Structure formats: C-alpha cells, structure tokens
Amino acid sequence: IMPSQIDCLVAVYNGENCILACVQALLGADYPDKKVIVVNDSSTDRTGEILKKLEGRITVFDIPHSGVAAGRNAGIGQSKAEFIAITDADCRVHPDWLKRAMPHLQDPGVGAVTGWLHYRVTNTLSAIREAEYAVRFARRGPRAKSVSCPVAVFRKKALLDAGMFDPRFIVGGEDTDIGYRIIEKGYRVIYERGMLAFHDPEDNLRLYLKRNYRNGVSHIRILRDRSKRVFFQDDFFPFLLRFQAVFTGLGLIYLLAWLFTASPLSMAIFLVFLVLLLANFLPVAFYVGRERGSAGFFSTFAVLMLRNIIWLAALARGSLNLLKK
C-alpha cells in the first residue's frame, strides 16, 4: 500500500530553458496523490513568468537568492507530506520514478531511495558525462552509501533528523552530504536501478569543467565534516576517482622533474602514474567509443585528464577556504 501523498520538490535559479519541461515531467508522473512544489531562488530570467503560468497546477514559493540547499529547505518547510521527492530543474524524471521508489519506503528504517541519473547525449563531451555516471551507477549495490538528489525520494522525518540540507552548499555537494547524514542517523539508503531521471546534456566544455571544479571544492567540506572511513565508502565517488587528481598532480611533478633533470627515475615514476590514470579511464573510454567511435574513445582520455587537473585545483581551493576559516 503506497502512502497517500508525496511532495515533488524543485529548487530553481535562472532555469527558463528547462523548468517547464521539468515541471511537466513531474506532473506527468504516474502516481495517484502528488503535489509539485517549486522554490524560485530569486531568478533574474523568465523563470518566474513561466512558473506563474503554471499556477493552480503547482505551488510556487519565492525566496531570496541563497542556493539550492537553502531552497530545498524552504520547500521542505512548506511541505506537509510524509515523503519528499527531489529532482533538479535541468532534469526530467521518468513517469514511474515514484512508483519505483515508494515500495522501499514502506520499511520505516529506509530514509531515502535514490535512482539512476542519465545524461542525454548530443556530442562526445555529453557522451563522456553519461559514461562517467553509467560506470558509477553500475557499480552500486542495493544498499547505497550516498544519495543523488536529481533522482531521490526521502522520508521527511529522516531529512529532519539529519538537520535537512546544509545551506553552506550553494550549488553541488549538498546531496552527497545529506545522504551521509541520513545514514549516520541510522537510516538506510536504497538504490533502485529502475528509478530514472534524465539530465539535460552537458555538452559544453566550460560547463563540464565548472561543475567538476565546484564539486571538488565541495568535497573538501564534506570530508572535513565526517570520518574518513565513511567518506571513502561512498559508492558514487569511488576511492580511485577521488585520488585521480592526486595521481595527476604527482605525475605532473615527476614529468617536470624529468624535463628539467633528465632523471630516468623521474620518468619511470611519471609513467607509473600515467598508466594508473589511463587504466582508470578505460571503462569510460570504452563506453564513449561504443557511442561515438574511435575519435570519441581517444578524446575521452584528454577530457578526463583535463578534468583531473581541474579537480586538483578545486581540492586546493577548498582546502584554502577551510584554512581561512
């Protein structure tokens, strides 16, 4: 027997190009008793006008610009439902996403159910993004160690017990953090592979690198706030992924050492790091190669190496931010 009501929550900032499709997908979800709540985070584009035309079908709240975590908290505070389903404005949920999640939540020990997020593919770069996520989600077991908020349904009590979303996360990292805190409160997080959402394509290199930089900065705060054991058990950001940036940095150091000193040892160590990195890139490269051919396969290595350099810079920035505080 499914619960009587679910509130579907979206926090949006300047989403004029995507919010209508997102809301239409939520309204079209195959679930008998649901409500859609959209928190407009002081958008400066046409988002407010678009939402106004949907009045009567959805509930809209306007808040001062404060970030996605604070926006979600505002929506949770307005909700009277026992369960909160959360996605992002640039995502479209599958019609049966709620039906896939709710049977798991009949168990009061389950605090959240998270699903599989796909990136729609339009070019090689978006294929790389989709492949990165496909590799990670394919490794997840039924009992997840983290939450992906573009496709998640929460028990409201679990969110409240965990202190809701941390408003310090303006964009990125807030879903990883809340997943950890829900688990730390004794709840289980379930991974439902058939629960799907589809993200707008990330087919712009600047956007791709910007997201990775933002996530790298956020991860330093996440690491500081909990034990290293919990942090390194995350099944979405596996151990090797977290250390790819470190491998990249060390590899660059030994490459420079070889260039300036011609030391065979420096060259050998650089090659070891390079082989480790390339081997770690292979699952993503094979996936992209199937979709985009040999050019996509080889492009993947260059893009992921650039991503790692950005991650390295982001980790350094995040560490400096904490030192300043």
Coordinates of all heavy atoms in Angstrom, one line a residue, residues 149-206:
C149 N 20.6 13.6 -5.6 CA 19.4 14.3 -5.5 C 18.6 14.6 -6.8 O 17.4 14.8 -6.7 CB 19.6 15.6 -4.7 SG 19.2 15.4 -3.0
P150 N 19.2 14.5 -7.9 CA 18.3 14.7 -9.1 C 17.3 13.6 -9.3 O 16.4 13.7 -10.0 CB 19.3 14.7 -10.3 CG 20.6 15.2 -9.7 CD 20.6 14.6 -8.3
V151 N 17.5 12.5 -8.5 CA 16.6 11.4 -8.6 C 16.5 10.7 -7.2 O 17.1 9.6 -7.0 CB 16.9 10.4 -9.7 CG1 18.3 9.9 -9.6 CG2 15.9 9.2 -9.8
A152 N 15.8 11.3 -6.3 CA 15.7 10.8 -4.9 C 14.4 11.0 -4.3 O 13.8 12.1 -4.5 CB 16.8 11.4 -4.1
V153 N 13.9 10.1 -3.4 CA 12.7 10.3 -2.6 C 13.1 10.1 -1.2 O 13.7 9.0 -0.8 CB 11.6 9.3 -3.0 CG1 10.4 9.6 -2.1 CG2 11.2 9.5 -4.5
F154 N 12.8 11.0 -0.3 CA 13.2 11.0 1.1 C 12.0 10.8 2.0 O 10.9 11.3 1.7 CB 13.9 12.3 1.5 CG 15.2 12.6 0.8 CD1 15.2 13.3 -0.4 CD2 16.4 12.2 1.4 CE1 16.4 13.5 -1.1 CE2 17.6 12.5 0.7 CZ 17.6 13.1 -0.5
R155 N 12.2 10.1 3.1 CA 11.3 10.2 4.2 C 11.5 11.5 4.9 O 12.6 11.8 5.3 CB 11.6 9.0 5.2 CG 10.6 8.9 6.3 CD 10.9 7.7 7.2 NE 11.0 6.5 6.4 CZ 10.0 5.7 6.1 NH1 8.8 6.1 6.5 NH2 10.2 4.6 5.4
K156 N 10.5 12.3 5.1 CA 10.7 13.7 5.6 C 11.3 13.6 7.0 O 12.1 14.4 7.4 CB 9.3 14.4 5.6 CG 9.5 15.9 6.1 CD 8.2 16.6 6.1 CE 8.3 18.0 6.5 NZ 7.0 18.8 6.6
K157 N 10.9 12.6 7.8 CA 11.4 12.5 9.2 C 12.9 12.3 9.1 O 13.7 12.9 10.0 CB 10.8 11.4 9.9 CG 11.2 11.2 11.4 CD 10.5 10.1 12.1 CE 10.9 10.1 13.5 NZ 12.3 9.9 13.7
A158 N 13.4 11.6 8.1 CA 14.9 11.3 8.0 C 15.6 12.6 7.7 O 16.7 12.9 8.2 CB 15.1 10.3 7.0
L159 N 15.0 13.4 6.8 CA 15.6 14.7 6.5 C 15.6 15.6 7.7 O 16.6 16.3 8.0 CB 14.8 15.4 5.4 CG 14.9 14.9 4.0 CD1 13.9 15.5 3.1 CD2 16.3 15.2 3.4
L160 N 14.5 15.7 8.5 CA 14.5 16.5 9.7 C 15.5 16.0 10.7 O 16.2 16.8 11.4 CB 13.1 16.5 10.3 CG 12.0 17.2 9.4 CD1 10.6 17.0 10.0 CD2 12.3 18.6 9.1
D161 N 15.6 14.7 10.9 CA 16.5 14.1 11.9 C 17.9 14.4 11.5 O 18.8 14.6 12.4 CB 16.3 12.6 12.0 CG 15.0 12.2 12.7 OD1 14.4 13.0 13.3 OD2 14.7 11.0 12.6
A162 N 18.2 14.5 10.2 CA 19.6 14.8 9.7 C 19.9 16.3 9.7 O 21.0 16.6 9.4 CB 19.8 14.2 8.3
G163 N 18.9 17.1 10.0 CA 19.1 18.5 10.0 C 18.9 19.2 8.7 O 19.3 20.4 8.5
M164 N 18.3 18.5 7.8 CA 18.0 19.0 6.4 C 19.3 19.3 5.7 O 20.4 19.0 6.1 CB 17.0 20.2 6.5 CG 15.6 19.8 7.1 SD 14.3 20.8 6.5 CE 14.7 22.4 7.3
F165 N 19.1 20.0 4.6 CA 20.3 20.3 3.7 C 21.2 21.4 4.3 O 20.6 22.3 4.9 CB 19.9 20.7 2.3 CG 19.3 19.6 1.5 CD1 17.9 19.3 1.5 CD2 20.1 18.7 0.7 CE1 17.4 18.3 0.8 CE2 19.6 17.7 0.0 CZ 18.2 17.5 0.0
D166 N 22.5 21.2 4.2 CA 23.4 22.2 4.7 C 23.4 23.4 3.8 O 23.9 23.3 2.6 CB 24.8 21.6 4.8 CG 25.8 22.5 5.5 OD1 25.6 23.7 5.5 OD2 26.8 22.0 6.0
P167 N 23.0 24.6 4.2 CA 22.9 25.8 3.3 C 24.2 26.3 2.9 O 24.3 27.2 2.0 CB 22.1 26.8 4.2 CG 22.3 26.4 5.6 CD 22.4 24.9 5.6
R168 N 25.3 25.8 3.5 CA 26.6 26.3 3.0 C 26.9 25.8 1.6 O 27.8 26.3 1.0 CB 27.7 25.8 4.0 CG 27.6 26.4 5.4 CD 28.7 25.8 6.3 NE 28.5 24.4 6.5 CZ 29.4 23.6 7.1 NH1 30.5 24.1 7.7 NH2 29.1 22.3 7.3
F169 N 26.2 24.7 1.2 CA 26.4 24.2 -0.1 C 25.5 25.0 -1.1 O 24.3 24.7 -1.2 CB 26.1 22.7 -0.2 CG 27.1 21.9 0.5 CD1 26.8 21.5 1.8 CD2 28.3 21.5 0.0 CE1 27.7 20.7 2.6 CE2 29.2 20.7 0.7 CZ 28.9 20.3 2.0
I170 N 26.1 26.0 -1.7 CA 25.3 26.9 -2.6 C 24.8 26.1 -3.9 O 23.7 26.1 -4.2 CB 26.1 28.1 -3.0 CG1 26.5 28.9 -1.8 CG2 25.2 29.0 -3.9 CD1 25.4 29.3 -0.9
V171 N 25.8 25.4 -4.5 CA 25.5 24.5 -5.6 C 26.5 23.4 -5.6 O 27.7 23.6 -5.6 CB 25.6 25.3 -7.0 CG1 25.3 24.3 -8.1 CG2 24.7 26.5 -7.1
G172 N 26.0 22.2 -5.5 CA 26.9 21.0 -5.6 C 27.3 20.5 -4.2 O 27.7 21.3 -3.4
G173 N 27.3 19.2 -4.0 CA 27.8 18.6 -2.8 C 26.7 18.4 -1.7 O 26.9 17.6 -0.8
E174 N 25.6 19.1 -1.9 CA 24.6 19.0 -0.8 C 23.9 17.7 -0.8 O 23.5 17.2 0.3 CB 23.5 20.2 -1.0 CG 22.5 19.9 -2.1 CD 23.0 19.9 -3.5 OE1 24.1 20.5 -3.8 OE2 22.4 19.3 -4.4
D175 N 23.8 17.0 -1.9 CA 23.1 15.7 -1.9 C 24.0 14.6 -1.3 O 23.6 13.7 -0.6 CB 22.6 15.3 -3.3 CG 23.7 15.4 -4.4 OD1 24.8 15.9 -4.1 OD2 23.4 15.0 -5.5
T176 N 25.3 14.7 -1.6 CA 26.3 13.8 -1.0 C 26.3 13.9 0.5 O 26.2 13.0 1.3 CB 27.7 14.0 -1.5 OG1 27.7 13.8 -3.0 CG2 28.7 13.0 -0.9
D177 N 26.3 15.2 1.0 CA 26.3 15.5 2.4 C 25.1 15.0 3.1 O 25.1 14.3 4.1 CB 26.5 17.0 2.6 CG 26.5 17.4 4.0 OD1 27.4 17.1 4.7 OD2 25.4 18.0 4.5
I178 N 23.9 15.2 2.5 CA 22.6 14.8 3.2 C 22.5 13.3 3.2 O 22.0 12.7 4.2 CB 21.4 15.4 2.6 CG1 20.2 15.3 3.5 CG2 21.1 14.9 1.2 CD1 20.2 16.0 4.8
G179 N 23.0 12.6 2.2 CA 23.0 11.2 2.2 C 23.8 10.6 3.3 O 23.4 9.7 4.0
Y180 N 25.0 11.1 3.5 CA 25.9 10.7 4.6 C 25.2 10.9 5.9 O 25.2 10.0 6.8 CB 27.2 11.5 4.6 CG 28.2 11.2 3.5 CD1 29.2 12.0 3.2 CD2 28.1 10.0 2.8 CE1 30.1 11.8 2.2 CE2 29.0 9.7 1.8 CZ 30.0 10.6 1.5 OH 30.9 10.3 0.5
R181 N 24.6 12.1 6.1 CA 24.0 12.4 7.4 C 22.8 11.6 7.7 O 22.5 11.2 8.9 CB 23.7 13.9 7.5 CG 25.0 14.7 7.7 CD 24.8 16.1 8.0 NE 24.3 16.9 6.9 CZ 23.2 17.5 6.8 NH1 22.3 17.4 7.8 NH2 22.9 18.2 5.7
I182 N 22.0 11.2 6.7 CA 20.9 10.3 6.9 C 21.3 8.9 7.4 O 20.8 8.3 8.3 CB 20.0 10.2 5.6 CG1 19.2 11.5 5.4 CG2 19.1 9.0 5.6 CD1 18.5 11.6 4.1
I183 N 22.4 8.4 6.7 CA 22.9 7.1 7.1 C 23.5 7.2 8.5 O 23.3 6.3 9.3 CB 24.0 6.7 6.1 CG1 23.3 6.4 4.7 CG2 24.8 5.5 6.6 CD1 24.3 6.2 3.6
E184 N 24.2 8.3 8.9 CA 24.7 8.5 10.2 C 23.7 8.5 11.3 O 23.9 8.2 12.4 CB 25.6 9.8 10.3 CG 26.9 9.7 9.5 CD 27.5 11.0 9.2 OE1 26.9 12.0 9.6 OE2 28.5 11.0 8.4
K185 N 22.4 8.8 10.9 CA 21.3 8.8 11.9 C 20.7 7.4 12.0 O 19.7 7.3 12.7 CB 20.3 9.9 11.4 CG 20.7 11.3 11.6 CD 20.9 11.6 13.1 CE 21.3 13.0 13.3 NZ 21.6 13.3 14.8
G186 N 21.2 6.5 11.3 CA 20.8 5.1 11.4 C 19.8 4.6 10.4 O 19.3 3.5 10.4
Y187 N 19.5 5.5 9.4 CA 18.6 5.1 8.3 C 19.4 4.4 7.2 O 20.6 4.5 7.1 CB 17.9 6.3 7.7 CG 16.9 7.0 8.6 CD1 17.3 8.1 9.4 CD2 15.6 6.6 8.7 CE1 16.4 8.8 10.2 CE2 14.7 7.2 9.5 CZ 15.1 8.3 10.3 OH 14.2 8.9 11.1
R188 N 18.7 3.6 6.4 CA 19.3 3.0 5.2 C 18.9 3.8 4.0 O 17.8 4.4 3.9 CB 18.8 1.6 5.0 CG 19.1 0.7 6.2 CD 18.9 -0.8 5.8 NE 17.6 -1.1 5.3 CZ 16.5 -1.3 6.1 NH1 16.6 -1.1 7.4 NH2 15.4 -1.6 5.5
V189 N 19.8 3.8 3.0 CA 19.5 4.4 1.7 C 19.5 3.3 0.7 O 20.4 2.5 0.6 CB 20.6 5.5 1.3 CG1 20.4 5.9 -0.1 CG2 20.5 6.6 2.3
I190 N 18.4 3.2 -0.1 CA 18.2 2.1 -1.1 C 18.5 2.6 -2.5 O 18.0 3.7 -2.8 CB 16.8 1.5 -1.0 CG1 16.5 1.0 0.4 CG2 16.6 0.5 -2.1 CD1 17.5 -0.1 0.8
Y191 N 19.2 1.9 -3.2 CA 19.4 2.2 -4.7 C 18.5 1.4 -5.5 O 18.5 0.1 -5.5 CB 20.9 1.9 -5.0 CG 21.2 2.0 -6.5 CD1 20.7 3.2 -7.2 CD2 21.8 1.1 -7.2 CE1 21.0 3.3 -8.6 CE2 22.1 1.2 -8.6 CZ 21.7 2.3 -9.2 OH 21.9 2.4 -10.6
E192 N 17.6 2.1 -6.2 CA 16.6 1.4 -7.1 C 17.0 1.7 -8.6 O 16.9 2.8 -9.1 CB 15.2 1.9 -6.8 CG 14.2 1.5 -7.8 CD 14.1 0.1 -8.0 OE1 13.8 -0.7 -7.1 OE2 14.3 -0.4 -9.2
R193 N 17.6 0.7 -9.2 CA 18.2 0.9 -10.6 C 17.1 1.3 -11.6 O 17.4 2.0 -12.6 CB 18.8 -0.4 -11.0 CG 20.1 -0.8 -10.3 CD 20.6 -2.1 -10.7 NE 21.1 -2.1 -12.1 CZ 22.3 -2.0 -12.4 NH1 23.3 -1.9 -11.5 NH2 22.7 -2.0 -13.7
G194 N 15.9 0.9 -11.4 CA 14.8 1.2 -12.3 C 14.2 2.6 -12.1 O 13.3 3.0 -12.9
M195 N 14.7 3.4 -11.1 CA 14.2 4.7 -10.8 C 15.0 5.7 -11.6 O 16.2 5.9 -11.3 CB 14.2 4.9 -9.3 CG 13.8 6.3 -8.8 SD 14.1 6.4 -7.0 CE 13.7 8.1 -6.7
L196 N 14.5 6.3 -12.6 CA 15.3 7.1 -13.6 C 15.0 8.6 -13.6 O 13.8 9.0 -13.5 CB 15.1 6.5 -15.0 CG 15.3 5.0 -15.1 CD1 15.0 4.6 -16.6 CD2 16.8 4.6 -14.8
A197 N 16.0 9.3 -13.9 CA 15.8 10.7 -14.3 C 16.8 11.0 -15.4 O 17.9 10.4 -15.5 CB 16.1 11.7 -13.1
F198 N 16.5 12.0 -16.3 CA 17.4 12.3 -17.4 C 17.8 13.8 -17.4 O 16.9 14.7 -17.4 CB 16.6 12.1 -18.7 CG 16.1 10.6 -18.8 CD1 14.9 10.2 -18.3 CD2 16.9 9.7 -19.4 CE1 14.5 8.9 -18.3 CE2 16.5 8.3 -19.4 CZ 15.3 8.0 -18.9
H199 N 19.1 14.0 -17.2 CA 19.7 15.3 -17.1 C 19.8 16.0 -18.5 O 20.2 15.2 -19.5 CB 21.0 15.2 -16.4 CG 21.5 16.5 -15.8 ND1 21.9 17.6 -16.6 CD2 21.7 16.9 -14.5 CE1 22.3 18.5 -15.8 NE2 22.2 18.2 -14.5
D200 N 19.7 17.3 -18.6 CA 20.0 17.9 -19.8 C 21.4 17.7 -20.2 O 22.3 17.5 -19.3 CB 19.8 19.5 -19.7 CG 18.3 19.9 -19.7 OD1 17.5 19.0 -20.1 OD2 18.0 21.0 -19.4
P201 N 21.8 17.6 -21.5 CA 23.1 17.3 -21.9 C 24.1 18.3 -21.4 O 23.9 19.5 -21.4 CB 23.0 17.3 -23.4 CG 21.8 18.1 -23.8 CD 20.9 17.9 -22.7
E202 N 25.3 17.7 -20.9 CA 26.4 18.6 -20.5 C 27.4 18.5 -21.7 O 28.4 17.8 -21.6 CB 27.0 18.1 -19.2 CG 27.8 19.1 -18.5 CD 28.1 18.7 -17.1 OE1 27.3 19.0 -16.2 OE2 29.2 18.1 -16.8
D203 N 27.1 19.3 -22.7 CA 27.9 19.2 -24.0 C 28.7 20.4 -24.2 O 29.2 20.7 -25.3 CB 26.9 19.0 -25.1 CG 25.8 20.0 -25.2 OD1 25.8 20.9 -24.4 OD2 24.8 19.7 -26.0
N204 N 29.0 21.2 -23.1 CA 29.8 22.4 -23.2 C 31.0 22.2 -22.3 O 30.8 21.9 -21.1 CB 29.0 23.6 -22.8 CG 29.8 24.9 -22.8 OD1 30.5 25.1 -21.8 ND2 29.6 25.7 -23.8
L205 N 32.2 22.4 -22.8 CA 33.4 22.1 -22.0 C 33.5 23.0 -20.8 O 33.9 22.6 -19.7 CB 34.7 22.2 -22.9 CG 36.0 21.9 -22.2 CD1 36.0 20.4 -21.7 CD2 37.2 22.1 -23.1
R206 N 33.2 24.3 -21.0 CA 33.3 25.2 -19.9 C 32.3 24.8 -18.8 O 32.7 24.8 -17.6 CB 32.9 26.6 -20.4 CG 32.9 27.7 -19.3 CD 32.7 29.1 -19.9 NE 32.6 30.1 -18.9 CZ 31.5 30.4 -18.1 NH1 30.4 29.7 -18.4 NH2 31.6 31.3 -17.2

